[in-house]
Amino acid sequence: MKINQQLFAILGTFFLAVAIVYTIWTRGTEWVGIPALFALAGMQYMIAYYLRLVEKEYKTGVDDKDDGEIEEYSGTYGRFAPWSWWPLGLGAAAAIVVLGVAIDWWIFIIGIGAGLFFVTGWVFEFSRGQHKH
């Protein structure tokens, strides 16, 4: 956790320096990249601050120990369904959304509807009735 916190703090400092240099370089006339770079630096600092706040709630990770081994990372990371078709449909819906942005708004709306359908199906994939998990 400490390494991740330091990593995001370093990235925030880097993006802040890049934003300042970019502002000076463009003489403050470019109003898309300048706020985006400052926002990117702010997001990195927010993640570093969040990791610092939750550090006390979680036990020390393997990456925080000097003698930690890679094998200590092993374990269950989640429950995944290798037979699920919902992600494929969601990818197709995302492609339709991008196509709709390029062509016309009605295709975009169809893609959003398909995306909502596939996201809902993926979320409730393991639900077999009311309140079952």
Side-chain angles (χ1 to χ4, degrees), residues 8-22:
F8 281 109
I10 290 169
L11 282 172
T13 305
F14 170 75
F15 286 123
L16 183 63
V18 168
I20 292 170
V21 168
Y22 189 72

Side-chain angles (χ1 to χ4, degrees), residues 30-126:
E30 205 274 311
W31 289 105
V32 175
I34 294 170
L37 286 170
F38 279 110
L40 189 59
M43 285 187 275
Q44 302 299 314
Y45 284 129
M46 285 181 358
I47 294 172
Y49 181 68
Y50 172 76
L51 289 174
R52 188 169 67 89
L53 286 178
V54 299
E55 180 181 7
K56 298 172 187 169
E57 296 179 22
Y58 297 102
K59 62 181 180 177
T60 304
V62 178
D63 53 349
D64 291 331
K65 294 191 275 185
D66 291 333
D67 59 343
E69 295 292 330
I70 294 175
E71 292 85 18
E72 295 181 48
Y73 275 115
S74 65
T76 303
Y77 285 105
R79 188 168 135 192
F80 305 100
W83 58 85
S84 178
W85 287 88
W86 295 107
L88 182 65
L90 188 60
I96 293 171
V97 166
V98 172
L99 185 70
V101 169
I103 295 178
D104 204 0
W105 62 270
W106 62 272
I107 299 174
F108 178 80
I109 292 174
I110 291 172
I112 293 293
L116 289 174
F117 171 75
F118 284 111
V119 164
T120 305
W122 199 6
V123 167
F124 292 110
E125 181 173 21
F126 292 109

Side-chain angles (χ1 to χ4, degrees), residues 1-10 47-48 51 63-64:
M1 187 81 70
K2 291 179 186 177
I3 292 174
N4 294 336
Q5 175 187 347
Q6 292 171 355
L7 175 68
F8 281 109
I10 290 169
I47 294 172
L51 289 174
D63 53 349
D64 291 331

